[in-house]
Amino acid sequence: MSVAQRIEAAKAEVEKLKDEIDKVRAEKADKTIDQVSASKGPLKEIRKPPSTKLRRTLKGHFGKVYAMHWANNSHDLVSASQDGKLIVWNAYSTNKVQAIPLRSSWVMSCAFEQTKGNLVACGGLDNMCSIYNLQQAQQQSRAQQELVSHDGYLSCCRFIDETRILTASGDSTCI
């Protein structure tokens, strides 16, 4: 078979496949998009938000809560609020485990270290990521480490492991 014959055979097969696709489309096209969107059928059900059920309410912040992050144990979480507090909660009992006063109340992000769960971090408009050791924080409320590398606000922080943290900033950098 020559190259020209193979090309013609391939073109014929492409046309045959196009016809099959058109046939399947015609069988499936029983309604127009306007008819589907106007109906109260399954499409509207898909768009409906999932039903949620309130399980517990954690009360204790006196300002807007801007961020929260679950610990690896699924029992504890940390929340950061404009009241200048970082609160570690037991989500099952709704009790505050620890409240950490922050140097700046302009916090936008917080993170719970996931391997051992003994570190929390936060940051925001102070352009700094502050890391607190939960075992030491009960004796002193100072940050164990303050990372000052961004020129803009800190929009997000997440622990990679016990010794590394990833931060994102309004200065368009991730460190």
Side-chain angles (χ1 to χ4, degrees):
M1 183 182 275
S2 72
V3 173
Q5 290 173 327
R6 288 175 43 201
I7 290 173
E8 287 305 315
K11 285 181 181 179
E13 187 173 353
V14 166
E15 288 302 317
K16 180 183 162 197
L17 291 172
K18 282 182 181 179
D19 291 340
E20 286 180 31
I21 290 171
D22 290 340
K23 181 181 171 187
V24 170
R25 279 185 179 163
E27 289 172 4
K28 301 282 183 185
D30 57 346
K31 291 184 181 180
T32 66
I33 191 72
D34 292 332
Q35 292 170 329
V36 171
S37 63
S39 74
K40 296 186 189 283
L43 186 60
K44 295 216 183 246
E45 294 298 317
I46 291 171
R47 291 184 180 168
K48 194 167 79 172
S51 60
T52 57
K53 182 178 176 184
L54 178 66
R55 302 289 181 184
R56 293 180 179 50
T57 302
L58 305 175
K59 294 182 181 180
H61 281 295
F62 296 106
K64 295 176 185 175
V65 175
Y66 279 104
M68 61 86 52
H69 193 231
W70 285 96
N72 193 30
N73 63 10
S74 300
H75 296 272
D76 298 324
L77 63 96
V78 63
S79 61
S81 169
Q82 199 176 23
D83 63 6
K85 295 267 191 270
L86 203 61
I87 299 179
V88 179
W89 304 86
N90 180 315
Y92 285 167
S93 68
T94 69
N95 291 334
K96 292 182 214 171
V97 176
Q98 201 162 345
I100 302 168
L102 303 175
R103 284 179 53 188
S104 170
S105 62
W106 298 103
V107 65
M108 295 175 68
S109 179
C110 63
F112 219 122
E113 191 273 319
Q114 299 292 308
T115 54
K116 290 187 179 177
N118 59 350
L119 298 174
V120 292
C122 67
L125 296 180
D126 58 356
N127 302 359
M128 176 172 45
C129 181
S130 302
I131 300 172
Y132 297 90
N133 187 325
L134 296 178
Q135 275 67 43
Q136 292 177 355
Q138 291 173 348
Q139 293 94 19
Q140 60 180 2
S141 58
R142 286 187 43 226
Q144 175 181 321
Q145 190 83 34
E146 291 179 335
L147 308 173
V148 185
S149 298
H150 289 290
D151 294 327
Y153 65 90
L154 195 80
S155 59
C156 187
C157 59
R158 288 294 178 258
F159 283 96
I160 296 170
D161 56 32
E162 263 189 294
T163 59
R164 297 181 297 169
I165 189 166
L166 180 66
T167 58
S169 173
D171 64 9
S172 301
T173 62
C174 294
I175 300 175

